[in-house]
Each structure stands twice: as C-alpha cells, then as structure tokens.
Amino acid sequence: EAGVAQSPRYKIIEKRQSVAFWCNPISGHATLYWYQQILGQGPKLLIQFQNNGVVDDSQLPKDRFSAERLKGVDSTLKIQPAKLEDSAVYLCASSWGGTGGNTIYFGEGSWLTVV
Amino acid sequence: GDSVTQMEGPVTLSEEAFLTINCTYTATGYPSLFWYVQYPGEGLQLLLKATKADDKGSNKGFEATYRKETTSFHLEKGSVQVSDSAVYFCALLNSNYQLIWGAGTKLIIKP
C-alpha cells in the first residue's frame, strides 16, 4: 500500500515570497491533516479535512496560510507571503477517519527554509 | 483538556541497554494511544499503538502497554541499538480524531 506522498521535499525561498506544498493521502483515507513542525518541537495541527470539508482550522494563520482539498483527495497548503518564522517541516497525514479506523499515517514532510 | 506528558530528554544509553521512556496522559474516556518515531531528517513513523486498556502494542522490539489504572503508556525495549537513535513521541487520539502530542524524547544510543 502506498503511503502519504508529499512534494516538494525541500524548498528554500526568500521572505515575502510564496510557496505551495502538495499532499496525496493514502487511497481511501477520508481525513487529511496538515501539521507544522518547527525544529526541536512536536507537530502543531494547522488544518484537518474530512473529505473535502474543513473540520478544524483554528490554528491556521489565515492571513498568510491557506489550504484546500478539492474533490476530497489530494490537498495543497500555500503560504503567502512567507516569514522567517515559517521555516519548518510541513507534514501531511491521513486516516480512514471515524469508525473506519483511527491510525494516522504521516508523509515524509516538506522542509521549508525561509531566508 | 486532554494532554500527554513524556519524560524529557535527551536520554543517552549505551548499545544493548534497556530502554524505558515514560508517558502519562490525561483524557476523558479511553483514547487510543500511540508511539511515533522520527529519525533525523525524516517524517513521523508510527511505531506502535494500543486501542484499549491492557492492550500491548509492539513493533521492532519495542513494547508499550495501555495502563488505565495509572494512565500510562511507557515505551520499553530490552536491548537498544545505535540505529534506534531518534526522537520518540507519545500521543493520544482525542474525540475529534486529532492527535494530542507529548513534547518528544530524544534518544541517543552510543556504541
């Protein structure tokens, strides 16, 4: 079974530029998550989707971050404009969701450096 | 609210030593519990899980038992190897299907 796919793996941008990350979850997984992990810290949930609807985006900095999950499959996370403090790993994760299963699987992450 | 507390690191051990990383939780009800591992430069990998009281999760020589009476899910391994060096995260799944994370414990194994 293929895992959670993310791209790009690495990205270096200048502050005030924009960047987009893409995620393809495990086939059939209804729930998709985006996390931000700053070096040396635990993951922070940015947004949670159930199919193509947003369940929780309370910690998403909406002035600069946006995310969408069209057609309830793959998802894109965008940052515009980027700040130095956005340097982090952006992790996508997925699960069956609800009574279908509760294990959450992670991708390899997209490593962002803002200079 | 729900929370997870795990022992602070770094934990430094010699190869073949016994490992314990403590994890306790506070939650309403009986959430599923997880250990994830993060190797340098990589994403999070599920190491093991337990979904109900007295369940034992195991994988790659690691074990953890869901203890309802002590609200704990300690990670153990009988003989660690250099390749086990990583950051280990304890987590619970809350009623919103979101992971609540511990702070992570960095494990360093010396040959």
Side-chain angles (χ1 to χ4, degrees):
Chain A
E1 180 180 76
V4 178
Q6 290 189 245
S7 67
R9 274 304 303 282
Y10 305 96
K11 191 75 175 178
I12 301 174
I13 63 173
E14 295 182 350
K15 59 183 179 184
R16 291 186 291 274
Q17 287 187 326
S18 63
V19 63
F21 302 113
W22 173 83
C23 172
N24 188 247
I26 292 172
S27 179
H29 280 194
T31 307
L32 185 147
Y33 309 81
W34 282 102
Y35 287 85
Q36 180 193 58
Q37 186 179 22
I38 293 172
L39 189 64
Q41 299 182 17
K44 170 188 167 186
L45 179 66
L46 292 176
I47 190 166
Q48 176 186 0
F49 292 95
Q50 179 72 16
N51 296 309
N52 60 352
V54 175
V55 174
D56 185 351
D57 64 356
S58 57
Q59 298 195 85
L60 186 73
K62 298 180 185 65
D63 57 336
R64 298 183 301 105
F65 286 65
S66 65
E68 60 182 11
R69 191 184 184 196
L70 300 176
K71 301 180 181 179
V73 180
D74 55 357
S75 176
T76 303
L77 175 71
K78 296 180 182 177
I79 307 174
Q80 182 179 14
K83 292 185 175 181
L84 295 177
E85 59 260 36
D86 298 332
S87 294
V89 182
Y90 291 87
L91 296 162
C92 181
S94 71
S95 72
W96 287 105
T99 56
N102 60 17
T103 300
I104 298 175
Y105 298 92
F106 286 80
E108 287 294 314
S110 292
W111 299 70
L112 174 66
T113 301
V114 182
V115 297
Chain B
D2 297 343
S3 66
V4 174
T5 302
Q6 63 181 104
M7 63 190 291
E8 291 189 21
V11 173
T12 303
L13 296 171
S14 297
E15 208 166 17
E16 299 183 2
F18 185 87
L19 168 70
T20 300
I21 300 178
N22 291 335
C23 172
T24 58
Y25 67 90
T26 302
T28 52
Y30 303 105
S32 294
L33 302 174
F34 303 84
W35 278 100
Y36 284 86
V37 59
Q38 189 169 36
Y39 298 100
E42 298 186 13
L44 286 157
Q45 298 178 25
L46 176 66
L47 182 58
L48 53 82
K49 70 174 185 179
T51 58
K52 60 184 186 296
D54 299 324
D55 264 2
K56 178 186 283 189
S58 61
N59 187 24
K60 299 180 181 180
F62 290 90
E63 293 183 341
T65 301
Y66 192 142
R67 301 287 188 196
K68 181 179 66 174
E69 60 278 3
T70 55
T71 62
S72 65
F73 192 54
H74 304 321
L75 183 68
E76 297 181 335
K77 186 175 186 182
S79 177
V80 293
Q81 302 170 7
V82 173
S83 57
D84 293 326
S85 298
V87 180
Y88 292 80
F89 290 94
C90 183
L92 67 80
L93 193 71
N94 71 8
S95 57
N96 294 321
Y97 299 100
Q98 297 169 349
L99 287 167
I100 306 299
W101 299 90
T105 303
K106 184 174 184 178
L107 176 64
I108 301 169
I109 306 300
K110 295 187 173 180

